[in-house]
């Protein structure tokens, strides 16, 4: 399964991050797998876990909000084209399994 997070920048460019581990941490800490150096992002804001074909978003800071498709969540299952937002940063989720795009039924 291939999973990517893509950020759209204000200048119209995109930046993509391939998630290659079973657990990907996202936050302001330098040792996070995806480092977001903004004061409105918590040191360990959230993580994405992949297990048995399920992709799960987990909020990791009770004082910070993690959004899934516009809703604040503690946990959420992710699929293709979902939107994850932490602070001012929005990621578009891309999921492919053996060259097939996984979508919500």
């Amino acid at each position: 399964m291939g999973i990517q997070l893509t950020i759209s920048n204000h200048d119209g460019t995109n930046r993509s991050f391939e998630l290659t581990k079973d657990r990907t941490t996202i936050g302001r800490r330098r040792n996070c797998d995806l480092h977001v150096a903004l004061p409105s992002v918590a040191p360990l804001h959230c993580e994405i876990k992949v297990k048995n074909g399920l992709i799960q978003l987990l909020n990791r800071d009770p004082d910070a909000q993690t959004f899934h498709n516009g809703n604040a969540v503690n946990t959420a299952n992710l699929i293709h084209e979902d939107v994850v937002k932490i602070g001012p940063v929005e990621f578009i989720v891309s999921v492919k399994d053996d060259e097939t795009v996984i979508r919500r039924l």
Side-chain angles (χ1 to χ4, degrees):
M1 178 181 328
I3 305 166
Q4 268 189 349
L5 298 180
T6 302
I7 300 174
S8 294
N9 297 313
H10 295 290
D11 64 3
T13 61
N14 293 328
R15 195 165 166 207
S16 294
F17 304 91
E18 189 79 28
L19 305 187
T20 58
K21 299 173 9 179
D22 291 340
R23 177 180 181 261
T24 301
T25 56
I26 303 171
R28 194 175 67 235
R29 268 192 219 146
R30 289 195 177 275
N31 66 344
C32 284
D33 299 310
L34 209 162
H35 177 235
V36 181
L38 295 172
S40 57
V41 173
L44 176 57
H45 203 105
C46 63
E47 71 179 76
I48 297 176
K49 285 184 162 183
V50 180
K51 186 175 182 180
N52 299 326
L54 185 67
I55 308 162
Q56 191 172 44
L57 172 68
L58 302 141
N59 185 50
R60 287 299 181 215
D61 187 320
D63 297 325
Q65 289 188 311
T66 299
F67 292 88
H68 172 248
N69 295 332
N71 300 306
V73 297
N74 287 318
T75 63
N77 292 330
L78 299 176
I79 63 166
H80 186 68
E81 295 183 344
D82 276 353
V83 177
V84 172
K85 183 176 179 184
I86 61 167
V89 181
E90 279 191 356
F91 300 96
I92 305 296
V93 179
S94 298
V95 182
K96 293 186 179 181
D97 186 16
D98 297 329
E99 301 307 317
T100 304
V101 173
I102 299 173
R103 299 183 186 273
R104 215 179 293 282
L105 297 176

